[in-house]
Amino acid sequence: MLSIKDLTQRIIDFRDKREWKKYHTPKNLAISLVIEVGELLEHFQWKSDEEILKDTKVPEKREQLADELADVAIYTFLLANELDVDLEEAILRKLEKNERKYPVELVRGKYKKYTELVKDDGDSGGYFKTSSGRN
Amino acid sequence: MLSIKDLTQRIIDFRDKREWKKYHTPKNLAISLVIEVGELLEHFQWKSDEEILKDTKVPEKREQLADELADVAIYTFLLANELDVDLEEAILRKLEKNERKYPVELVRGKYKKYTELVKDDGDSGGYFKTSSGRN
Amino acid sequence: MLSIKDLTQRIIDFRDKREWKKYHTPKNLAISLVIEVGELLEHFQWKSDEEILKDTKVPEKREQLADELADVAIYTFLLANELDVDLEEAILRKLEKNERKYPVELVRGKYKKYTELVKDDGDSGGYFKTSSGRN
Amino acid sequence: MLSIKDLTQRIIDFRDKREWKKYHTPKNLAISLVIEVGELLEHFQWKSDEEILKDTKVPEKREQLADELADVAIYTFLLANELDVDLEEAILRKLEKNERKYPVELVRGKYKKYTELVKDDGDSGGYFKTSSGRN
């Protein structure tokens, strides 16, 4: 299996063979990322979550979803590359930050924004009296 | 280095420890992906490409960009996971499709939509008389 | 009540007093539009449609939603202005196009993409045998 | 000329004749809004601001841009309607808030985030020593 770095290199090779680097400015790549997210969401339009999940059982539809997800990933990797970001490292660091920000015992089973966690703490001296979270 | 599959597994572990799977429906993840793309773009707002690239030299700003890119990648990986898509495979297949769709000799140095390539072909019997591409 | 043109003029006045026109290039405005859409969607994150609608009953939350919707509208109006588009006229023309594209008797109660309507027609000689639409 | 309320009513009439209200939940409309923003941005893809502005001189291209802007506006108006927000009022209130948040004398000719304005104030006792803004 390949790393993000390996995959990014293949994308860059594809790009550089076509001499398209000049188009790959941060704002252009960001715009392309938004376009691809929009195309991915077209497959969700007017559907319930159940219908979307059912689509994944239909090979033709799953391939369309996979293609759109691939495009989103490709532009994310290209953008990381242009911005000189090691994306694997960034993901691992973000997970560590989130581990600290969302301690299991405080958020289990309910999603809470960090700001709400802090506010709860400030207002009430503890998280545990809040039974609600984002439910 | 880790594969997308490895990284996705770590994200899933983080998620499942918090019992947040129930929130991770396709539409919810898509909405979160859009939010994160928006947060990434906040770092581009009102800036030129040059200013954005200059920001990447400032460690504090590069870490912010890296964090936002990580969030975009994390939701993309989670969405692929929920939609039962092998994202590495999808990226490699998409690159192959693009190899065929954008032959080097036809698009070198100029970006053209596939539809324009085909139209050029239909209208003119060849791509080469078009000197412009996307200009 | 004001027209889109009136509202746009007020936004332009606000902008020009601050000499911000130079920042309002098409790509910059598009990026700002995406950011505002993302901020609007933050209010939907991890929520069901029912929860979102319940938020609209809480004055403080409805004001937040209204502010984000206003920002989305403001950047849409600014972008129309920069692209020399009369947005009211564009909306009315789009509605007319959609009237023709989605005839009531063919789509009542079910959403169908135009491409599906055409395909149905081509494949089957009629829309009426399809009972499903996008259900 | 029509108000946002008038235009929204026409959109609602179009929608209700087709019995599509059931599809117009907040999340569905938000997803459609993102899709339309993506389609608008397709017209910007790989282009410079100058090229985009040049497109607005070509009637066929301006009509395409107008159609996409109309779709973005239509979904924004529909979303405001579902969320029980008076969009005209929201825009006017947002402009008033922004008048207070971005005083002309402090931001003229340079864009500054509100947080930066406040920080400048806290750090330095005044905005005027900062010559930079967002440059």
Side-chain angles (χ1 to χ4, degrees), chain D residues 17-18 27 35 57 61 67 75 90 100 112 122-123:
Chain D
K17 260 188 236 157
R18 282 153 189 80
K27 281 155 83 169
I35 293 170
K57 311 296 181 202
K61 291 190 183 176
D67 276 359
Y75 283 116
R100 289 193 299 275
K112 278 188 153 229
D123 289 346

Side-chain angles (χ1 to χ4, degrees), chain C residues 3 17-18 20 22-23 44 49 53 111:
Chain C
S3 67
K17 260 187 233 157
R18 282 152 188 81
W20 284 351
K22 63 183 170 186
Y23 293 119
F44 293 8
D49 282 309
L53 289 172
Y111 185 79

Side-chain angles (χ1 to χ4, degrees), chain D residues 25-73:
Chain D
T25 66
K27 281 155 83 169
N28 277 359
L29 289 171
I31 284 170
S32 291
L33 176 60
V34 174
I35 293 170
E36 297 304 334
V37 169
E39 291 187 7
L40 173 63
L41 266 64
E42 275 184 46
H43 297 274
F44 293 9
Q45 198 176 26
W46 312 125
K47 295 185 187 172
S48 67
D49 283 309
E50 291 69 33
E51 288 173 304
I52 296 165
L53 290 172
K54 228 167 68 185
D55 282 352
T56 66
K57 311 296 181 202
V58 184
E60 192 201 344
K61 291 190 183 176
R62 192 170 57 204
E63 181 164 338
Q64 289 169 354
L65 287 165
D67 276 359
E68 301 303 350
L69 279 163
D71 280 332
V72 172

Side-chain angles (χ1 to χ4, degrees), chain C residues 1 5 8 36 53 62 70 76 80 82 85 91 114 117 125 132:
Chain C
M1 278 190 296
K5 206 159 272 178
T8 305
E36 296 304 335
L53 289 172
R62 191 169 59 204
T76 305
E82 288 313 303
V85 164
I91 292 169
Y114 180 63
L117 285 177
S132 60

